[in-house]
């Protein structure tokens, strides 16, 4: 059995455990293009010991930020990788991408001021948002619009209770958010995008997050490091032998 160090950040406290064969087979059977859903399922299994030792701690992997989710995937990989804790990421290493001590700032909301005629705030991108985007986006432009739609809110407007919504309700909510941005005059959207780009680093934690045609990517944090982004997906946490047993022929390693 593989033992994992306790992980604790400002919002997440968890003792990861090794995934079982039955759980690994369930993860492998998920559709090959549902990377975010795969991450959620994987984390639900291995982070089932997540606790809330103080107010503000979150135990649902769908409500963790995309950076927190990637951080926990890397926490698991650091214990199972053949290349050690600072495991290889292509020709680079995890430490080229992960800012170990840069946690989510508090409060996790940034005031943008008046943007396109409305007082707005910026909030983190959550796992539930990423799951919704991978079900509807086909290129970088769609991902970018979706990320902005889910991160920028009218000041004072509460986010919905995601845990109380069905998958259909979540999908409809997500579509309506994106449709509202797509219906904006072009100049107003450009103003919104500029505000998002200017302020999003204030919420940066663990990773420098971006998007491409296939979804979320994480960029190196040092200019002198590698020039290419990385993806930290859950399936490589499962052994190659188990993936050969249970993954479909079109998804040998994703």
């Amino acid at each position: 059995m593989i033992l994992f160090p306790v992980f604790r950040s400002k919002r997440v406290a968890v003792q990861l455990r090794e995934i079982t064969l039955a759980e690994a087979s369930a993860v492998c059977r998920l559709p090959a293009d549902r990377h975010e859903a795969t991450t959620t399922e994987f984390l639900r299994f291995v982070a089932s010991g997540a606790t809330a030792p103080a107010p503000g701690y979150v135990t649902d992997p769908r409500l963790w930020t995309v950076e927190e989710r990637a951080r926990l995937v890397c926490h698991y990989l650091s214990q199972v990788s053949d290349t050690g804790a600072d495991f290889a990421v292509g020709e680079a290493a995890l430490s080229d991408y992960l800012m170990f001590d840069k946690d989510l700032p508090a409060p996790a909301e940034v005031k943008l001021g008046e943007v396109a005629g409305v007082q707005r705030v910026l909030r983190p991108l959550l796992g539930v948002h990423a799951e919704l985007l991978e079900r509807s986006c086909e290129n970088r432009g769609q991902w970018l619009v979706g990320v902005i739609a889910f991160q920028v809110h009218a000041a004072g407007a509460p986010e919905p209770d995601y845990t109380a919504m069905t998958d259909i309700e979540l999908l409809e909510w997500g579509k309506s958010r994106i449709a509202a941005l797509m219906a904006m005059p072009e100049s107003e959207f450009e103003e919104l995008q500029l505000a998002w780009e200017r302020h999003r680093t204030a919420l940066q934690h663990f990773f420098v997050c971006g998007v491409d045609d296939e979804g979320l990517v994480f960029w190196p944090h040092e200019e002198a490091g590698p020039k290419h982004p990385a993806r930290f997906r859950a399936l490589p946490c499962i052994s190659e032998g188990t993936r050969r047993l249970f993954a479909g022929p079109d998804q040998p390693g994703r």
Side-chain angles (χ1 to χ4, degrees):
M1 178 181 292
I2 299 171
L3 300 178
F4 297 85
V6 173
F7 176 85
R8 184 163 180 169
S9 67
K10 291 180 181 177
R11 293 192 345 129
V12 182
V14 63
Q15 171 71 69
L16 296 184
R17 62 165 176 81
E18 186 178 358
I19 196 166
T20 69
L21 184 64
E23 292 165 348
S25 69
V27 172
C28 288
R29 288 196 300 268
L30 291 172
D33 60 345
R34 298 289 299 280
H35 304 294
E36 298 299 332
T38 298
T39 295
T40 297
E41 188 76 353
F42 172 78
L43 290 174
R44 279 178 172 162
F45 287 136
V46 303
S48 57
T51 60
Y57 273 75
V58 181
T59 60
D60 186 345
R62 296 179 90 186
L63 302 185
W64 292 337
T65 69
V66 296
E67 294 90 349
E68 288 166 341
R69 286 155 59 93
R71 179 70 180 90
L72 282 167
V73 167
C74 290
H75 188 64
Y76 193 99
L77 280 170
S78 69
Q79 300 300 305
V80 302
S81 174
D82 293 337
T83 53
D86 192 19
F87 57 83
V89 182
E91 297 179 356
L94 174 63
S95 56
D96 291 308
Y97 295 87
L98 175 57
M99 299 175 286
F100 290 88
D101 298 324
K102 190 172 183 181
D103 206 340
L104 183 68
E109 180 176 283
V110 177
K111 294 180 180 179
L112 303 182
E114 183 174 320
V115 183
V118 177
Q119 292 290 327
R120 302 181 192 267
V121 295
L122 183 70
R123 295 171 183 159
L125 187 71
L126 305 180
V128 64
H129 300 147
E131 283 192 41
L132 292 172
L133 289 173
E134 76 175 354
R135 294 178 65 178
S136 57
C137 297
E138 297 179 355
N139 55 56
R140 180 181 179 276
Q142 292 176 353
W143 271 92
L144 187 60
V145 170
V147 167
I148 295 172
F150 293 157
Q151 284 200 266
V152 178
H153 298 259
E159 290 196 60
D161 182 357
Y162 300 116
T163 60
M165 300 169 71
T166 66
D167 286 348
I168 293 176
E169 289 170 337
L170 283 169
L171 192 59
E172 290 303 313
W173 173 85
K175 287 180 177 179
S176 68
R177 294 285 302 183
I178 294 171
L181 257 66
M182 295 297 291
M184 292 179 73
E186 185 182 33
S187 59
E188 290 188 3
F189 174 75
E190 288 178 345
E191 184 181 348
L192 195 67
Q193 182 181 2
L194 183 62
W196 173 80
E197 290 177 344
R198 183 183 298 124
H199 292 278
R200 66 192 184 104
T201 55
L203 290 180
Q204 195 173 82
H205 57 292
F206 297 137
F207 296 98
V208 179
C209 188
V211 296
D212 66 6
D213 287 343
E214 297 180 21
L216 298 176
V217 296
F218 301 98
W219 287 93
H221 56 77
E222 297 290 347
E223 291 184 3
K227 303 301 182 184
H228 53 81
R231 304 182 197 276
F232 299 107
R233 291 174 171 166
L235 203 67
C237 295
I238 296 171
S239 74
E240 184 178 349
T242 300
R243 296 202 305 269
R244 284 199 301 267
L245 281 174
F246 297 111
D250 61 333
Q251 54 192 93
R254 294 191 204 174

